[in-house]
Amino acid sequence: MALTSKETFDLARQVLTGNYVRAPLSIVRGQGSYVWDAEGKRYLDLLPGLGVNGLGHCPPRVVEALRQQAGELLHIHNNYLIESQARLAQKLIQHATGMGEAKAFFCNSGTEASECAIKMARLWGKQNGGKWKFITLENGFHGRTYGALSATGQTNLHKGCEPLLPGFVHVPINDAKALEQAFQDKEVAAFIVEPVQGEGGIFSCTPEYLQTASALCDWHGALLLYDEVQAGMGRTGDLYAYQTLGAPAPDVLWLAKALGGGFPIGAVLARADACEFMVPGTHGSTFGGNPLACAAGLAVLETIEQEGLLAQVRETGVHLGKGLDALKQRFPKLVLATRRVGLMAAIDLSVPGKAYLEKCRDKGLLINCTHDTVLRLLPAMNVTCAQLDEGLSIITEVLKEQA
Ligand code: PLP
C-alpha cells in the first residue's frame, strides 16, 4: 500500500542523508502546472522541478517519446552511434546563433555540464599559452562537485569542503572594472558566467557587461563560457538567455534542467575551436546522451516549436511582471524589490521567507526561497496568465496575513 506523506517523511528522515530541507509533502502525480500529494491535495506548482519541468509536469510529447523509446532501446554506450543524440545536438546548435560550427557533448546534469566546460577550457588553455585559471562571478552557482563548486561564487556553499580547486577568482556581477582587473592575470583560460543568475536570486548581467566580457576574453586570449543550466531552454523567452539579453554569443554554453522536460540530461555546446582538444580519452560519461534522454530532449524542442512557447513566455512574462509590480506597490515595507527575466522571477523580502513559503504551501502554492529572503518563481513555459494570477493572489493573501 502507498505511504502517506507523514509515513514517507518519517521513513526518509530515517534512511536518507540529511542534506536537503524536505517539506513534509509526498508528491505522487503531476500534470502541467499542478501536482497532487499522497493525500490527494492539489497544488499549483510555480517552481516545477526547480526549473526541470520547463513544460510543466508530464508533458504529453515527452511522455510519449519516452514510452516509445523505452520499448525499443533503453541504453547503449557512446562507443556506438545514437541517432537521436546527433539529431538533438544538431538542433541545439542550429539555435545557438553566433556560435558557428559548434559541437555538443551530452551528460546527465547541470553540475556535470559545468565540469565538462571547465575541463574543456583547461584542455584548450593548456594548448594556448599554458592558461588554466578561471574568473567567475560572486553569487554565481554552477553545481556541487569540486570543479563546479570551485566556480560557484557563494562561499557559504564552500564551507567544510575546502580545499577547493585552485585557480578560481570571483568578481562582482556587472562590474567591468573588476573584470578587467582580474584579467591582469595572464594565466586566465576562461570567464564563466550565468547570463541570468538563478540560485543567486535572479540577477541579470547587462548586455554591455557581457559585451565587455567578450571583448576582454578576445583581447586576453581567453574563452567566454555561459552557464545556462537554469536560464536556458526557453525560460527567458528565447531558447538561450544570451539571446534575450542581446548579449554576444559565447565560446561554450551549457544546459541541463529543462532540456529533458523532467528526464535527466545535460549538454555542453562549444565552438569547434574551443572543443578541439576534446579528443578520445579526455572526457566521457557512461549515461550521457543515452537514447531515453535524447528522445526526451527532442520532444521538448518539438513541443517548444509546435506550441509557440517562446512567444508565450514573452507574453506571460510581462503579465507576471505586472503582478510583481503590484505586490511591491501594495507591500512597500515587506517587498524590497522584485526582479524578472522572462519567466524567472524573484521577490526580495525584508524578512526571512521561510514562514511565507510554508503558508503558501498550506494554501496550495509551491514556490521556493533562496538566500533566506528571496522568494523565487520559475513557472513552466506553458503556464497560463490565469494560473499566474492564482499564484499571485495566494502570495498576496500570505503577505497580507504576515504583514
Ligand atoms: N548551473 C546552474 C546555473 C544551476 O542553476 C544549477 C542548479 O541549480 C547547476 C549548474 C547544477 O545543476 P544540477 O543540480 O543539475 O547538477
Side-chain angles (χ1 to χ4, degrees):
M1 227 179 51
L3 302 182
T4 63
S5 287
K6 168 82 174 69
E7 286 165 343
T8 302
F9 185 76
D10 291 343
L11 177 62
R13 203 159 45 177
Q14 202 184 322
V15 298
L16 298 177
T17 55
N19 53 308
Y20 297 108
V21 178
R22 292 190 172 90
L25 211 66
S26 172
I27 302 292
V28 295
R29 189 163 74 83
Q31 196 189 346
S33 286
Y34 292 100
V35 291
W36 286 261
D37 69 13
E39 286 66 43
K41 180 172 170 181
R42 190 181 85 158
Y43 298 83
L44 173 65
D45 191 358
L46 293 189
L47 192 102
L50 259 175
V52 164
N53 303 91
L55 304 178
H57 293 277
C58 297
R61 280 189 180 84
V62 176
V63 170
E64 189 43 43
L66 284 170
R67 277 210 176 103
Q68 203 175 325
Q69 185 60 51
E72 286 169 12
L73 184 69
L74 283 177
H75 180 79
I76 189 80
H77 62 78
N78 278 297
N79 296 125
Y80 297 109
L81 296 170
I82 302 168
E83 182 189 329
S84 56
Q85 192 186 101
R87 289 203 295 120
L88 180 58
Q90 184 183 39
K91 279 197 176 272
L92 291 172
I93 290 164
Q94 276 167 357
H95 280 93
T97 44
M99 285 188 71
E101 301 266 311
K103 294 182 190 297
F105 170 84
F106 288 101
C107 50
N108 311 288
S109 69
T111 299
E112 283 177 59
S114 296
E115 291 294 335
C116 170
I118 289 166
K119 262 177 96 172
M120 201 185 265
R122 279 240 168 123
L123 289 165
W124 178 91
K126 288 273 164 71
Q127 302 290 333
N128 284 274
K131 298 175 182 209
W132 61 282
K133 292 182 180 167
F134 295 89
I135 307 170
T136 77
L137 288 190
E138 288 171 6
N139 196 42
F141 185 83
H142 302 286
R144 304 281 190 165
T145 55
Y146 268 90
L149 186 63
S150 305
T152 292
Q154 300 183 29
T155 41
N156 57 318
L157 302 180
H158 295 171
K159 277 204 188 100
C161 300
E162 303 92 344
L164 298 176
L165 240 56
F168 287 80
V169 294
H170 304 101
V171 295
I173 189 170
N174 291 330
D175 184 338
K177 280 245 152 53
L179 188 59
E180 204 175 338
Q181 185 64 35
F183 265 110
Q184 295 312 307
D185 186 332
K186 298 300 163 218
E187 292 184 305
V188 170
F191 174 48
I192 302 178
V193 53
E194 290 166 89
V196 183
Q197 291 183 336
E199 294 303 302
I202 321 298
F203 289 98
S204 183
C205 291
T206 63
E208 297 76 26
Y209 179 66
L210 293 176
Q211 203 67 257
T212 303
S214 176
L216 284 168
C217 286
D218 283 350
W219 179 255
H220 292 282
L223 299 177
L224 179 61
L225 272 52
Y226 289 168
D227 179 343
E228 294 213 10
V229 164
Q230 190 160 145
M233 286 310 292
R235 191 169 299 287
T236 61
D238 291 274
L239 198 69
Y240 303 124
Y242 77 89
Q243 297 165 331
T244 303
L245 298 184
D251 295 296
V252 181
L253 174 149
W254 58 107
L255 304 161
K257 288 203 187 268
L259 175 56
F263 197 88
I265 178 170
V268 182
L269 311 181
R271 288 187 200 266
D273 53 344
C275 61
E276 193 188 337
F277 304 104
M278 291 269 290
V279 295
T282 51
H283 199 55
S285 165
T286 300
F287 289 114
N290 67 67
L292 278 172
C294 292
L298 282 169
V300 166
L301 281 175
E302 190 187 306
T303 307
I304 291 174
E305 276 164 25
Q306 305 255 319
E307 296 184 8
L309 289 180
L310 296 176
Q312 187 172 324
V313 166
R314 282 178 226 133
E315 277 174 33
T316 45
V318 170
H319 187 81
L320 176 59
K322 287 183 185 151
L324 296 174
D325 289 346
L327 279 181
K328 186 162 157 30
Q329 274 186 358
R330 185 155 176 191
F331 304 101
K333 287 206 180 112
L334 206 48
V335 177
L336 297 180
T338 61
R339 290 179 293 281
R340 180 192 69 84
V341 183
L343 284 175
M344 303 177 79
I347 304 167
D348 268 2
L349 299 178
S350 54
V351 293
K354 188 168 172 277
Y356 294 82
L357 200 70
E358 286 167 2
K359 285 255 173 192
C360 283
R361 198 170 65 221
D362 292 346
K363 290 178 186 292
L365 171 68
L366 303 183
I367 53 175
N368 93 332
C369 178
T370 179
H371 289 266
D372 197 36
T373 54
V374 183
L375 299 182
R376 183 171 46 151
L377 282 67
L378 294 172
M381 294 178 73
N382 48 14
V383 73
T384 62
C385 289
Q387 287 166 337
L388 289 171
D389 289 344
E390 187 186 336
L392 287 165
S393 84
I394 293 176
I395 295 173
T396 307
E397 247 178 78
V398 168
L399 292 180
K400 208 164 61 185
E401 280 172 21
Q402 302 277 121

